[in-house]
């Protein structure tokens, strides 16, 4: 039996497992025989006892997008016309113009889906940085144990006198 995450076992397998258990086979014996877990067997048994149903629950979890394709296109045009908008400003605009109330995360996802960015400045080369260690020195290593002044170390400061 092939099973992939997020999918239910077939109804045929469910019926055969329940028939075996109803015929007197123990769940712990039936599990390796049908290549399922013991908890898989107990879950439909409990559901059948509570509701009378033996079919798998319908798959849940997908919520459709709140923005229609036309609204996403309008959002894209609005961002291109006003590139300095914030997520909060986009939320206000969407509510006023389209009557759609979205969270910051939903607006961010829509903008990412449109492959747009909130970057405020164009790409520029990095500034030149100064060398911080001697030439030929190993990176990340001190030159000597005395390279850190002991007067600034918190472990060498005198403890203040109690009041």
């Amino acid at each position: 039996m092939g099973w992939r995450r997020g999918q239910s076992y077939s109804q045929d397998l469910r019926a055969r497992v329940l028939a075996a258990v109803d015929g007197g086979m123990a769940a712990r014996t039936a599990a390796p025989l049908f290549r399922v877990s013991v908890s898989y067997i107990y879950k439909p048994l409990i559901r059948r006892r509570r509701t009378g149903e033996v079919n798998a629950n319908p798959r849940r979890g997908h919520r459709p997008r709140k923005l229609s394709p036309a609204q996403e296109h309008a959002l894209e045009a609005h961002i291109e016309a006003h590139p300095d908008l914030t997520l909060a400003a986009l939320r206000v605009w969407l509510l006023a113009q389209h009557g759609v109330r979205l969270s910051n995360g939903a607006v961010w996802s829509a903008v990412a889906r449109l492959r747009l960015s909130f970057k405020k400045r164009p790409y520029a080369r990095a500034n030149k940085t100064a060398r911080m260690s001697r030439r030929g020195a190993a990176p990340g290593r001190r030159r000597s144990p005395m390279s850190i002044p002991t007067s600034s170390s918190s472990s060498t400061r005198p403890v203040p006198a109690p009041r």
Side-chain angles (χ1 to χ4, degrees):
M1 286 280 119
W3 177 78
R4 287 181 287 182
R5 185 175 181 184
Q7 293 184 344
S8 301
Y9 283 121
S10 69
Q11 185 58 37
D12 175 54
L13 175 64
R14 182 179 296 262
R16 287 186 290 135
V17 168
L18 290 177
V21 172
D22 290 343
M25 185 180 285
R28 293 193 183 278
T29 308
L33 180 68
F34 291 103
R35 295 184 184 171
V36 296
S37 66
V38 176
S39 68
Y40 169 78
I41 296 173
Y42 284 124
K43 287 175 185 176
L45 288 171
I46 292 168
R47 184 164 186 230
R48 182 175 63 182
R49 185 177 345 118
R50 287 184 182 164
T51 65
E53 295 179 10
V54 293
N55 295 335
N57 280 329
R59 301 304 304 164
R60 295 184 303 269
H62 174 72
R63 288 174 39 182
R65 294 180 184 157
K66 286 188 176 182
L67 289 178
S68 68
Q71 291 169 334
E72 281 191 357
H73 183 69
L75 176 67
E76 182 178 16
H78 187 68
I79 292 172
E80 288 175 354
H82 308 282
D84 59 344
L85 290 175
T86 63
L87 290 175
L90 287 175
R91 288 177 61 200
V92 170
W93 179 81
L94 282 168
L95 184 60
Q97 294 295 319
H98 297 280
V100 179
R101 185 180 307 266
L102 293 177
S103 67
N104 278 340
V107 175
W108 184 264
S109 296
V111 170
R113 206 170 28 254
L114 295 169
R115 298 185 187 273
L116 297 175
S117 165
F118 284 107
K119 193 167 187 171
K120 300 297 183 201
R121 64 184 180 93
Y123 171 76
R125 289 185 53 172
N127 294 335
K128 185 173 181 175
T129 56
R131 181 173 293 279
M132 301 302 288
S133 60
R134 291 182 293 134
R135 288 191 187 274
R141 298 189 69 197
R142 294 187 196 132
R143 288 189 305 231
S144 71
M146 297 303 293
S147 64
I148 298 176
T150 57
S151 62
S152 67
S153 176
S154 63
S155 63
T156 61
R157 283 192 201 139
V159 177
R163 293 183 184 203

